[in-house]
Amino acid sequence: MLKLKMAPGCECKWCYVVTCSAFIGSSWFLVGYDISSSNGVKEMKGFRDFFNLSGLEDNSTTGNSSEETSAILGLVVALFSLGSLVGALLGGPLSDWAGRRAVLVTGALLSASGIIIQSAAIALWMLLIGRIWSGLGVGIIVQSMPVYIAEIAPKQYRGRMVSLAPMAGVTGNLIAALVNIGVEGLSFGWRVSLGLQLILACCLLIGSPLIPESPRWHVKKNKPHKALKTLKKIFKDDQVVASQLEEISASYQKSQYDKTLRKTFFSRDIAHRLFLGFCLLFFSRVCGISLALYFSVSIFYKIGISGFIGAIIICLSLITAQILVLLIADKFGRKFILLCGYVVMSVCLVAASALILGFGLETDLLSSDKTIAGYFVVACLALFVGVGALSSVSQGWIVVSELYPLKIKGLSVSVASVGWWLGTILSGEISPFLLSSSLGTAGTLILHAVICALGFIFVLLLLPETKQLSLEQVDQLFSTPWLQRTNPLYYLTCGRVHKVLVLAVSSSDEELRGLDISLEDLTNQNDDCDDVTGGTQSGELMQTL
C-alpha cells in the first residue's frame, strides 16, 4: 500500500486522492499494453500468415525482414502513435473547454471503438484504420491524465500521484507480454492480444463520469463553489481548503497570459516552457525506450535469445522501476533523477553494443558463450529500460504536468505531448531500417547512447527543478534568471556548491534574498507546507543557485 507521510497542516484525504489518481492513471495501461502487444503480435505466425507478410515467414526465428515488411511493421507501430499525436493535439483545447473529465470519457469511447476495429480486421487497411482510431482515443486520454492528476494532487505528493500512470503502463506491458506467450501458437492469437485491452477501455468509459472535475478547471470557468466542493474532498482542514481556493483564484486572476494563440505561444515565457516540455518528452522516446519496447522481440531473436522471454524480463524491470518511482519521486529532485538516468542509460547501451560486437552475437553460428553473452545483453537492455522508465519517462511527465499556467494548461500539455508521440512515430518508423541496415543492432544502440548524452546536456542546461512547488509557485519560478533557475553549477560540482537563492514572500511581502544554507536544510524546509517563513501560504522556494 502506498503510504503518504503528512506534513503538519497539510493533511489530505490521501485515500481519495490516490483512488482518483490511480483510476485516471490506469489509462496508461492502454499505452503499455499496446506497446507490448504490438511488439509480440508482429512476430506471430498467425498474424503474418493472415496479412500475407512475405519476407517474415522464413525468418521468424532470426528477426530478419525485407525492406517492404520492415515498412509495414513500422507502419503498424507508427500509425497508433500518429493517431495518438492527433488526439493529444485535440485533447488540450477540448479539456480546456469541456473539462478534464469529459475529455476522458470521449477518449475512452474512441479507444474502445478503435480496439474493436483492429481486433476484428479482415484486411490490412482495416487493421491500420483501427490502429489510428484507437491511438486517437489514447492520445486524448494520455494528454488529459497528467493535467488532471497535477490539478487535484497536493504538491507534496504530486510526483508520486502522476507516477501512478507509468506504473499502470508497465503493468500493461507485462500483461500483454504474458498474453502474447499464451496465444502465440494460435492462428487467431493476434486478435485475442489486441482485443483484450477493450476491457479497460470500457472500464474507463463507465468510471470516468464518477470522478470529480478538477478544482482548477472550475475556477477557470468561474465556478468557485464547485471548486470548493472538490477541494473539501481532497483536504481535511477547512482552513487549508479555503487557502487553497484563495491561492488558485488569485493566481488565475492575476495571470497576464492572453487567450489568443499568437500572443500566448509567442510570448517568451510560454514559448520557453513549451520548448522544454516538447523536448523533454521527445528525448524520452527517441533515447531508445521506444526501440527497446517495440522491437525487443526482434532484437533478442537476432542475438539468439527467446524474444518473448526477453520481453517478460524487460517488463519485470519496468515494474521494479515504477515501484522505485513511487518511493523516490518526491524525495529527490526531478532534474537530479533525469540527469542520473541519462548517464546510466548511455552506459547500458554502450555495454550492450560492446557485448554484441565483442562476441559476434549477430552472426548465424551461436555457441554457448554467445548465448551467455546474449543474456547479458538482455540484462543491459532491461536495466536501460528500467532506468529510462524511472527517469526520462516518469519524471518527464511529472515535469510537464507542473510547467504551465492554469489558463492554458490543457493546450500547453497538448503541444508538449506532441513531442512524445512524434518521438514514438520516428522511432517506430526508423528503427526497423536501422536494425536491418549496415549499422546493425550494435550500431543502432550506440546511436541511441549518443542521443541519451544529448538529453543529459539538455536537462542540465535548460531544465529547472520543480519539486514540491505548487503550480502557482512554478509560474513565479520562470520569472527568475536562467542561471538561477537551472543551476547547472550545482549538478556539475556534485553538490559541492550549497549556496542557494531563496525568494520568500511573507505575509508582509518581505523579501529574503541570498541565504546561504545547506542542501539538507533546504530539503527539510521544503518538506513542510510553510517552506521558508513558517507562515500559512507564506514561503515560496524559487530555486537553488
Side-chain angles (χ1 to χ4, degrees):
M1 179 182 293
L2 180 63
K3 185 176 182 180
L4 301 178
K5 181 181 178 180
M6 303 300 174
C10 290
E11 289 85 356
C12 70
K13 299 175 182 177
W14 67 268
C15 186
Y16 181 81
V17 173
V18 170
T19 300
C20 292
S21 300
F23 177 79
I24 297 302
S26 66
S27 61
W28 265 54
F29 181 96
L30 296 174
V31 180
Y33 188 96
D34 184 84
I35 289 173
S36 281
S37 177
S38 58
N39 185 11
V41 161
K42 61 185 176 57
E43 298 292 332
M44 291 182 184
K45 187 177 185 302
F47 177 80
R48 303 184 203 119
D49 291 343
F50 187 86
F51 293 107
N52 194 27
L53 294 178
S54 59
L56 276 177
E57 288 84 348
D58 297 330
N59 299 302
S60 60
T61 59
T62 64
N64 298 323
S65 60
S66 67
E67 290 186 2
E68 180 181 356
T69 301
S70 295
I72 294 175
L73 293 180
L75 199 61
V76 169
V77 171
L79 284 181
F80 179 85
S81 301
L82 178 62
S84 298
L85 188 153
V86 176
L89 287 174
L90 295 176
L94 286 174
S95 67
D96 283 339
W97 172 65
R100 322 305 190 202
R101 185 174 57 182
V103 168
L104 290 168
V105 175
T106 303
L109 181 62
L110 292 173
S111 178
S113 58
I115 292 169
I116 293 173
I117 293 172
Q118 60 180 315
S119 59
I122 57 175
L124 184 61
W125 64 265
M126 187 174 176
L127 173 71
L128 298 181
I129 290 176
R131 297 288 293 167
I132 294 176
W133 199 252
S134 179
L136 181 67
V138 170
I140 291 175
I141 294 173
V142 170
Q143 182 279 332
S144 303
M145 177 275 303
V147 176
Y148 178 86
I149 295 179
E151 289 183 350
I152 68 166
K155 64 183 180 181
Q156 288 81 9
Y157 321 118
R158 189 171 58 232
R160 277 174 280 184
M161 294 301 99
V162 174
S163 66
L164 289 173
M167 171 63 85
V170 300
T171 303
N173 285 135
L174 178 60
I175 292 178
L178 294 173
V179 170
N180 285 341
I181 291 177
V183 302
E184 179 186 5
L186 303 177
S187 60
F188 57 89
W190 63 275
R191 296 187 188 274
V192 176
S193 182
L194 292 175
L196 281 179
Q197 54 191 317
L198 179 64
I199 298 173
L200 181 67
C202 291
C203 290
L204 287 172
L205 182 61
I206 296 172
S208 293
L210 303 179
I211 62 174
E213 183 55 85
S214 161
R216 286 175 168 84
W217 185 82
H218 280 314
V219 169
K220 179 180 178 180
K221 293 300 180 179
N222 196 26
K223 299 177 181 179
H225 59 289
K226 292 187 177 181
L228 183 64
K229 184 178 179 180
T230 301
L231 288 171
K232 286 183 177 180
K233 295 179 179 179
I234 298 173
F235 296 99
K236 297 179 180 179
D237 193 328
D238 288 341
Q239 291 184 346
V240 174
V241 169
S243 63
Q244 286 288 321
L245 181 60
E246 182 181 355
E247 182 182 7
I248 294 171
S249 301
S251 176
Y252 180 76
Q253 292 299 326
K254 70 181 180 182
S255 175
Q256 298 300 314
Y257 301 111
D258 193 281
K259 291 185 178 180
T260 63
L261 288 176
R262 182 182 66 83
K263 289 185 178 181
T264 298
F265 288 96
F266 287 94
S267 66
R268 183 174 180 179
D269 177 31
I270 298 302
H272 178 213
R273 299 197 218 181
L274 289 171
F275 174 76
L276 284 177
F278 179 93
C279 291
L280 198 59
L281 295 183
F282 182 78
F283 272 117
S284 72
R285 303 314 288 168
V286 300
C287 66
I289 297 294
S290 291
L291 170 73
L293 293 179
Y294 280 113
F295 299 97
S296 61
V297 174
S298 299
I299 291 173
F300 295 151
Y301 276 145
K302 278 190 171 186
I303 62 176
I305 301 297
S306 171
F308 290 103
I309 297 299
I312 291 291
I313 294 174
I314 283 185
C315 289
L316 293 175
S317 174
L318 283 170
I319 290 178
T320 303
Q322 290 306 321
I323 293 174
L324 290 176
V325 170
L326 294 176
L327 297 176
I328 71 173
D330 291 310
K331 293 184 179 180
F332 299 94
R334 326 294 195 216
K335 184 169 183 173
F336 174 77
I337 296 176
L338 281 165
L339 291 174
C340 293
Y342 277 123
V343 171
V344 176
M345 290 162 68
S346 297
V347 172
C348 289
L349 290 175
V350 172
S353 179
L355 287 169
I356 292 172
L357 292 175
F359 287 87
L361 297 182
E362 291 189 273
T363 61
D364 292 333
L365 298 176
L366 294 176
S367 65
S368 59
D369 290 340
K370 290 182 178 181
T371 302
I372 295 173
Y375 279 107
F376 274 106
V377 172
V378 174
C380 288
L381 290 182
L383 180 60
F384 163 78
V385 172
V387 173
L390 175 66
S391 57
S392 66
V393 175
S394 295
Q395 302 304 312
W397 279 106
I398 290 172
V399 171
V400 164
S401 72
E402 299 170 334
L403 277 180
Y404 306 110
L406 176 59
K407 281 191 175 182
I408 56 171
K409 179 177 285 289
L411 188 56
S412 298
V413 173
S414 285
V415 174
S417 62
V418 168
W420 171 275
W421 295 115
L422 182 61
T424 304
I425 291 171
L426 290 176
S427 183
E429 277 293 300
I430 296 175
S431 293
F433 293 100
L434 290 177
L435 292 171
S436 60
S437 70
S438 58
L439 282 176
T441 304
T444 302
L445 296 181
I446 289 293
L447 176 62
H448 286 85
V450 173
I451 296 175
C452 287
L454 294 177
F456 176 89
I457 295 172
F458 170 80
V459 171
L460 177 68
L461 297 181
L462 296 179
L463 188 69
E465 180 57 70
T466 58
K467 171 179 172 282
Q468 290 193 355
L469 295 179
S470 71
L471 300 182
E472 289 69 35
Q473 289 170 339
V474 172
D475 285 341
Q476 299 180 35
L477 172 64
F478 278 88
S479 66
T480 60
W482 161 74
L483 189 59
Q484 297 174 11
R485 185 170 63 242
T486 59
N487 193 18
L489 184 60
Y490 173 81
Y491 299 95
L492 288 175
T493 58
C494 298
R496 292 187 178 89
V497 177
H498 293 302
K499 184 177 180 181
V500 298
L501 176 67
V502 176
L503 179 59
V505 182
S506 67
S507 57
S508 60
D509 294 330
E510 178 184 3
E511 293 186 354
L512 308 176
R513 300 178 183 272
L515 298 181
D516 289 328
I517 60 178
S518 68
L519 183 62
E520 181 179 0
D521 292 337
L522 178 62
T523 303
N524 291 336
Q525 288 176 337
N526 201 31
D527 283 338
D528 297 330
C529 291
D530 310 325
D531 292 327
V532 178
T533 61
T536 301
Q537 297 227 342
S538 60
E540 295 181 7
L541 172 67
M542 296 305 296
Q543 183 59 29
T544 57
L545 175 62

